[in-house]
Amino acid sequence: MSDPRKALAGLGVSRETIGRLEIYAGLLTRWQARINLVGPDTLPDLWTRHILDSAQLWPLLPPEARRLADLGSGAGFPGLVLAILGAPDVHLVESDARKCAFLREAARLTGTTVTILNRRIEQVEPLGADIVTARALAPLSRLLDWAAPHLGPGGQCLFLKGRGAEDELTATAKEWKIGHRRIRSLTDPEGVVLQLREVCRGSAQH
């Protein structure tokens, strides 16, 4: 993509917010020399591969959402990006202490309020979130095991997935009943955003 900043503006992101994302991107580039925050080969394409890829979830957040839980936040994709864009009460769950240190510094420098939970997903008390997000973390069936306890009433999941999404949905139907919508990725021709509602355990096959 020639100019991901223009694409961000097309999503309704203000110039001021893009400036905060630039602070975040600069910090990530500096820290990458010390700890592996993103795949080294993706760093030159940081704005498209990571920032815009995360920001494409922003228009999908329902206006009534009051809390977002991001599982396996890593360097902050998509959770910290969404918090910078204005998502409310964002909880970033990340087990790696070094990545949590980066997230704290990135939140401080960008003036973003987030809650950072430095522990394994399974150890986090239910968060009652309206939205649960994850990116490049685990197969869908595992993601649902982790996400379901953190969904509040009427909550939904937004998962960024690659080319295997259809197979994962098929496999998941053996254990879960979910309403799902596939949305084509803005950044990956083979990728999708899975929007999952009415998540409950139980076979969808009759």
Side-chain angles (χ1 to χ4, degrees):
M1 184 170 292
S2 57
D3 191 346
R5 290 170 180 79
K6 279 188 180 177
L8 285 166
L11 294 176
V13 179
S14 70
R15 259 200 218 165
E16 179 187 358
T17 301
I18 290 174
R20 292 168 65 208
L21 289 169
E22 287 171 342
I23 292 170
Y24 172 42
L27 182 71
L28 188 150
T29 301
R30 293 193 297 276
W31 276 58
Q32 178 72 14
R34 287 187 278 159
I35 65 173
N36 191 40
L37 292 167
V38 297
D41 58 328
T42 70
L43 197 60
D45 203 17
L46 175 64
W47 277 87
T48 298
R49 288 283 295 273
H50 299 291
I51 294 175
L52 180 59
D53 191 52
S54 299
Q56 67 180 312
L57 300 185
W58 170 244
L60 301 177
L61 301 184
E64 67 274 12
R66 292 292 174 265
R67 174 173 289 183
L68 185 149
D70 185 46
L71 306 183
S73 297
F77 306 117
L80 185 56
V81 170
L82 293 171
I84 292 170
L85 295 182
D89 195 16
V90 174
H91 287 60
L92 306 176
V93 182
E94 173 53 51
S95 62
D96 186 318
R98 296 174 307 161
K99 290 178 179 176
C100 286
F102 168 76
L103 292 171
R104 288 187 200 97
E105 182 66 0
R108 185 183 71 82
L109 288 181
T110 58
T112 306
T113 300
V114 292
T115 299
I116 298 168
L117 301 171
N118 181 196
R119 63 194 79 154
R120 295 175 62 84
I121 296 166
E122 307 94 309
Q123 297 171 336
V124 176
E125 291 294 314
L127 292 169
D130 302 296
I131 299 289
V132 174
T133 58
R135 176 178 182 261
L137 182 62
L140 184 57
S141 57
R142 177 69 62 84
L143 276 180
L144 289 171
D145 284 338
W146 287 337
H150 298 296
L151 282 170
Q156 60 179 279
C157 301
L158 292 172
F159 296 149
L160 291 150
K161 283 288 182 183
R163 69 176 79 178
E166 201 63 40
D167 290 340
E168 291 185 32
L169 278 168
T170 300
T172 298
K174 298 171 186 174
E175 297 180 42
W176 294 89
K177 287 188 285 189
I178 49 175
H180 65 270
R181 175 183 170 211
R182 303 174 196 80
I183 302 159
R184 182 177 295 179
S185 170
L186 293 179
T187 61
D188 177 359
E190 297 184 326
V192 296
V193 177
L194 292 181
Q195 186 176 41
L196 309 178
R197 296 188 176 94
E198 299 166 1
V199 175
C200 65
R201 193 176 288 279
S203 174
Q205 299 172 347
H206 301 286

